Amino acid sequence: MSKKILIVTDFYKPHKSGIITYIDQIIDSVKEREDSVTVLTTLHDNNLRKKELINGVEIIRCKPSLKFLRGFYSIELVIKFFVIYKKYNLINLHLPLTEILPIIFFTNKNNTILNYHCLPFFSLHLKIISLYFYLFGLISMFRSKEVITLSLDYFNKISLHKYFHKKINEIPPFIKKIKYYSKNNNKQNRLTIGYLGRISNEKGLEYLIKASNMLMKNNILHNLIIAGDTQDLRFKKYINNLKNISNQNTIFTGKLNEKQKEEFYKNIDIFVLPSINSFEAFGIVQLEAMSYGKPVIASNIKGVKSIVEKTKNGYIFKNKNPKDLYSKIILCKKKKFDSEIVKKNLILNYNKIKFDKSIQNLF
């Protein structure tokens, strides 16, 4: 018997993030069973429609009442939830969700599934916001039938979370398609290192640039390609600082479209995720790089490092340590990972069959 499922999330398409990619994978999985899905989210762009149908999925967008930092709080979303939630067999909440208060107190524990993506990190003077998400995350887990996390490695490090182990399900995302393409063999032994993602303070890109400077000092031919929005006003000062400390081998590409993104992955030899944010839970971009057969070097952060640990497709370096990152780049260069083995290891650990089985069992 098909179900009616309500997914509640602060952001949805056309906004792009790992959380949205994961939500779409859930939607595709439950729709294979002919369940109907409604997504209740915020109207983060006034050019979007408040209500529309996309590929059979009903999207309801609500105007934000309050904007702060990178997020919103929408009173309209809360009201809309109260109006419609009883029409659905199952409620799927995606944290972080600013409207979790008061929504969580009106859900039925027996039909609520919680996706705990991450605990947002805020600087010292905004710790009260982190505390808000932490406390209502705990309450939400208590009031949910099942909890999904992308990485137990990340989830269990957060205080008190391990006490919910009986209802925790580790269900990581997957890559839909492995990429096959002709290799470029005209590189003259020049190493190409890449990063793709948000260019912001918590990504630790200064340590990657410092490692590149060490490579240059030791006469190791290489290029460093940093792909991401260099016009983001929130991080303009940080981006300018990165450019000031970078060498002539560093290329800032700006935002990439899908075709450019594909060329980026094809042309790099190593992908590096140097994140310093201890609350970054997974790093789905690592799966994308591996789908092109590229090894990954990731910082030693719980959740982030779990992908490399499971696949053995690269190395883990000490957090905020450019010397160790430099040494891991040298190791990666010497080992010359076989791209087909990298892809095979990826599919073995992160595949659609495993994902669908786990999601459909819970939903």
Side-chain angles (χ1 to χ4, degrees):
M1 183 178 177
S2 61
K3 296 178 181 177
K4 292 184 66 178
I5 299 172
L6 176 64
I7 293 176
V8 188
T9 173
D10 272 335
F11 288 95
Y12 191 58
K13 293 186 298 191
H15 186 81
K16 293 183 178 181
S17 73
I19 292 176
I20 293 166
T21 298
Y22 193 89
I23 290 172
D24 278 343
Q25 290 186 351
I26 290 176
I27 290 172
D28 290 344
S29 184
V30 298
K31 281 183 68 182
E32 288 179 7
R33 203 172 50 191
E34 299 187 350
D35 292 347
S36 65
V37 180
T38 298
V39 176
L40 179 62
T41 188
T42 54
L43 185 74
H44 65 271
D45 184 336
N46 288 329
N47 294 319
L48 298 172
R49 294 179 182 177
K50 291 200 71 176
K51 192 172 183 179
E52 64 180 321
L53 198 68
I54 301 177
N55 297 324
V57 177
E58 183 184 28
I59 314 297
I60 301 172
R61 300 187 180 97
C62 303
K63 286 186 177 180
S65 307
L66 174 68
K67 181 178 181 181
F68 61 97
L69 301 175
R70 302 179 199 172
F72 305 97
Y73 190 97
S74 172
I75 295 173
E76 184 182 348
L77 186 147
V78 173
I79 294 170
K80 190 67 178 178
F81 178 83
F82 292 156
V83 171
I84 68 173
Y85 80 99
K86 289 183 180 179
K87 300 176 184 178
Y88 295 87
N89 307 109
L90 193 147
I91 309 297
N92 180 211
L93 305 176
H94 288 261
L95 300 187
L97 179 70
T98 56
E99 297 85 4
I100 195 64
L101 175 67
I103 281 176
I104 194 59
F105 293 108
F106 291 85
T107 56
N108 183 334
K109 183 175 181 178
N110 294 322
N111 72 344
T112 301
I113 294 178
L114 186 75
N115 277 81
Y116 197 111
H117 291 278
C118 64
L119 176 63
F121 172 79
F122 293 94
S123 54
L124 190 61
H125 67 292
L126 293 172
K127 283 296 180 185
I128 188 67
I129 302 175
S130 292
L131 183 62
Y132 170 86
F133 284 111
Y134 171 70
L135 289 177
F136 285 100
L138 292 176
I139 293 168
S140 299
M141 286 187 283
F142 179 76
R143 292 186 55 83
S144 299
K145 179 183 178 182
E146 301 285 350
V147 179
I148 298 172
T149 180
L150 278 64
S151 168
L152 283 172
D153 184 43
Y154 167 82
F155 185 85
N156 288 334
K157 76 166 188 174
I158 304 174
S159 180
L160 301 181
H161 281 37
K162 63 183 179 180
Y163 294 107
F164 294 91
H165 68 275
K166 289 184 179 179
K167 58 172 70 176
I168 303 304
N169 304 270
E170 183 184 52
I171 309 177
F174 63 92
I175 289 295
K176 291 183 178 180
K177 189 176 180 182
I178 297 298
K179 312 297 181 180
Y180 295 97
Y181 58 94
S182 299
K183 294 180 181 178
N184 179 7
N185 294 318
N186 299 316
K187 295 182 121 178
Q188 300 177 340
N189 202 34
R190 193 176 190 92
L191 187 68
T192 302
I193 304 160
Y195 165 85
L196 186 150
R198 188 168 60 248
I199 305 178
S200 57
N201 308 59
E202 72 268 19
K203 296 300 180 181
L205 290 167
E206 61 270 35
Y207 302 104
L208 177 54
I209 290 173
K210 288 176 182 178
S212 171
N213 291 339
M214 292 180 195
L215 291 169
M216 187 175 178
K217 185 177 179 180
N218 287 287
N219 299 315
I220 296 170
L221 292 174
H222 74 286
N223 290 325
L224 172 59
I225 302 176
I226 297 177
D229 186 2
T230 54
Q231 302 304 313
D232 193 326
L233 296 178
R234 297 172 299 173
F235 312 116
K236 198 65 182 175
K237 182 178 179 181
Y238 178 73
I239 293 167
N240 288 337
N241 287 338
L242 292 180
K243 290 180 177 179
N244 288 336
I245 65 171
S246 63
N247 58 63
Q248 62 264 38
N249 295 328
T250 305
I251 302 165
F252 289 86
T253 68
K255 289 176 73 173
L256 303 182
N257 60 35
E258 286 305 310
K259 181 63 178 175
Q260 292 169 330
K261 188 175 171 181
E262 186 174 316
E263 289 302 312
F264 164 84
Y265 281 123
K266 286 180 180 178
N267 290 323
I268 65 172
D269 299 299
I270 303 168
F271 184 86
V272 177
L273 184 58
S275 179
I276 60 173
N277 181 1
S278 61
F279 290 99
E280 182 160 0
F282 193 74
I284 195 171
V285 69
Q286 297 177 81
L287 302 187
E288 290 183 354
M290 291 179 189
S291 74
Y292 285 83
K294 308 302 180 178
V296 171
I297 300 175
S299 52
N300 188 26
I301 292 176
K302 288 184 179 295
V304 170
K305 69 184 178 68
S306 63
I307 298 173
V308 172
E309 286 179 334
K310 286 183 178 180
T311 62
K312 311 300 180 188
N313 285 341
Y315 295 104
I316 297 164
F317 76 97
K318 295 175 184 175
N319 193 21
K320 300 183 181 180
N321 190 323
K323 288 184 179 178
D324 193 46
L325 175 53
Y326 165 84
S327 69
K328 294 303 190 298
I329 291 171
I330 297 300
L331 278 176
C332 216
K333 183 176 186 292
K334 288 179 179 178
K335 183 168 181 178
K336 296 182 178 178
F337 283 81
D338 185 293
S339 63
E340 297 308 312
I341 293 176
V342 169
K343 295 173 189 176
K344 183 179 178 181
N345 291 342
L346 171 65
I347 289 299
L348 186 65
N349 290 278
Y350 301 96
N351 63 73
K352 179 173 168 55
I353 294 173
K354 282 185 177 181
F355 181 88
D356 285 345
K357 183 179 179 180
S358 298
I359 290 295
Q360 292 176 16
N361 282 342
L362 290 184
F363 284 71

